[in-house]
Amino acid sequence: MAGETHQRILEATEKLIQMNGLARVTTRDIARETGLSEGALYRHFDHKEEILFAVVSKYLPALLDVFQAHPAGTSTIRANVTALTLAVLRYYGHLFPITASCLADTSLLTRYREAIHQHNGGPQTIFTLVAAYIEEEQQLGRIGQRIPALSIATLLLGPCLQRVFMTHMLGQNPFDQTDEQFADELVQALMVSTMPA
């Protein structure tokens, strides 16, 4: 029952953030949306920022599952990196509308940064994961070692975040291209410069 209530709070909070922006969502709004009292809400979370962090964190396991399903040395580089790219696009797609409103509120951004540091998480986690995968493939000789793993991760993740940003800002896909097409072409372009000599 507590797990269901917890999930209901997260879903209500995400819905409200997407409708109104994080800065305008109060614990009273969340309580009303879930049918709980504010007191009941505080039995599950200490403050609103903790709810936000839980909403953001709930998408991480699905991303980690894709890394588990595509470890270094299996399948082909292209298949693995394309799968990782698609997973990152989905993750950023969930994350961006939730966290973007933090940037407009400096006090909220400060509290969000504090929450990230307490949980040892944050946006750099994805870079770390992708760079670790790339480095393993480099050690196996399946990706060239001329370019540092973190640089390759940056070359991959930067366009993913830019695509999600433009899609949300414009309200539509800016290039009339599916995520699958985007991921495939991005990975193909990266492979030209990262394959072993």
Side-chain angles (χ1 to χ4, degrees), residues 115-187:
I116 285 173
H117 292 305
Q118 288 174 358
H119 291 85
N120 295 321
Q124 76 280 7
T125 303
I126 302 171
F127 282 80
T128 304
L129 288 169
V130 173
Y133 165 79
I134 298 293
E135 192 170 340
E136 286 181 48
E137 292 288 20
Q138 287 176 325
Q139 290 169 358
L140 292 170
R142 293 179 9 129
I143 291 180
Q145 296 187 6
R146 298 180 310 278
I147 304 172
L150 184 59
S151 295
I152 297 172
T154 302
L155 290 169
L156 181 70
L157 296 173
C160 292
L161 184 57
Q162 184 67 26
R163 176 179 171 84
V164 170
F165 168 77
M166 286 192 298
T167 300
H168 281 285
M169 287 298 291
L170 298 173
Q172 63 184 27
N173 182 332
F175 301 117
D176 194 30
Q177 188 182 44
T178 66
D179 283 350
E180 289 76 14
Q181 290 169 324
F182 172 82
D184 187 56
E185 290 178 17
L186 176 60
V187 171

Side-chain angles (χ1 to χ4, degrees), residues 63 66-67 70 79-89 130 133 156:
L63 178 63
V66 176
F67 279 87
H70 298 275
N80 285 347
V81 177
T82 300
L84 298 179
T85 302
L86 287 168
V88 166
L89 285 169
V130 173
Y133 165 79
L156 181 70

Side-chain angles (χ1 to χ4, degrees), residues 17 22 52 56 94-104 109 112:
I17 291 170
L22 179 64
L52 168 66
V56 169
H94 290 298
L95 217 60
F96 190 80
I98 297 167
T99 56
S101 57
C102 286
L103 298 174
L109 182 57
Y112 179 65

